[in-house]
Amino acid sequence: MFWKSLKVTYSTLEIVGLYGKRWDVELDLRHLKTTLGMDILRCKSPSMVRKEIYVFFLAYNLLRSLMWDAGTTYTTPPLRLSLQGTRHHLINFIPKLLATTSTKRLKAYRTLLKVIAHKAVPDRPARNEPRVRKRRPKAYPLMTKPRHELRKQLQTA
């Protein structure tokens, strides 16, 4: 019970600062889910859902490591680089990286880092975003029957 014996007090300003950092983390998680397309998981079994999440983590770590390499190589703060922009540039560079010889691959990789580093996001301190959905839901009902049954209904109608 060591932690119960410690009494730590924080100023209001420190608490407000921590709340701001927590808000940034929530925005980052939401952005991560929508950028990588993991807002809807497609697998059904628990083990496959875990594997799907692990693959998203691998993709996220790949993108963040590219952002880190680009930022440190070209003296741009890595947290100011765009995750979506890095993803977009990587997808565009993959065919070039695969098509080049091993001697030219390093040059192509450095070009990729340069492109990523020069697309820095502007600093937006104390950014405030409303908690609303931008897109309206479609006017279609939810699928409550198997697809083959719904197809039969369409054919008989």
Side-chain angles (χ1 to χ4, degrees):
M1 300 294 182
F2 171 74
W3 57 90
K4 286 190 175 186
S5 64
L6 293 177
K7 288 196 176 199
V8 181
T9 57
Y10 296 97
S11 70
T12 305
L13 197 56
E14 287 174 312
I15 292 172
V16 168
L18 288 172
Y19 186 79
K21 288 180 182 179
R22 179 180 163 263
W23 179 252
D24 288 340
V25 168
E26 286 187 27
L27 286 177
D28 288 344
L29 286 173
R30 184 179 69 186
H31 180 66
L32 167 69
K33 289 193 299 188
T34 55
T35 300
L36 295 181
M38 65 183 289
D39 48 344
I40 297 173
L41 298 175
R42 285 143 186 90
C43 293
K44 304 291 181 202
S45 70
S47 65
M48 288 304 291
V49 167
R50 272 190 228 90
K51 289 177 185 177
E52 189 176 0
I53 291 171
Y54 293 154
V55 169
F56 280 119
F57 286 155
L58 285 170
Y60 178 76
N61 284 333
L62 170 68
L63 293 173
R64 285 293 177 184
S65 67
L66 277 173
M67 292 165 69
W68 180 262
D69 282 351
T72 54
T73 303
Y74 292 98
T75 61
T76 304
L79 290 177
R80 295 270 311 278
L81 298 176
S82 168
L83 181 70
Q84 178 71 353
T86 302
R87 180 181 160 269
H88 174 76
H89 295 308
L90 176 62
I91 288 169
N92 288 335
F93 263 82
I94 284 175
K96 294 175 181 110
L97 290 168
L98 293 174
T100 60
T101 61
S102 59
T103 56
K104 293 183 181 180
R105 195 167 292 138
L106 183 59
K107 185 177 179 183
Y109 179 72
R110 287 190 180 133
T111 304
L112 171 63
L113 293 181
K114 189 173 187 177
V115 169
I116 291 170
H118 286 86
K119 301 286 182 172
V121 176
D123 188 22
R124 297 174 280 196
R127 183 176 177 194
N128 189 0
E129 294 292 332
R131 285 187 176 259
V132 295
R133 286 185 289 163
K134 184 176 178 181
R135 294 199 172 100
R136 304 290 187 264
K138 304 287 189 245
Y140 299 110
L142 292 175
M143 187 187 311
T144 57
K145 297 179 183 176
R147 194 175 301 275
H148 68 276
E149 287 182 26
L150 292 172
R151 284 189 188 127
K152 283 181 184 177
Q153 281 181 346
L154 282 175
Q155 290 173 352
T156 58

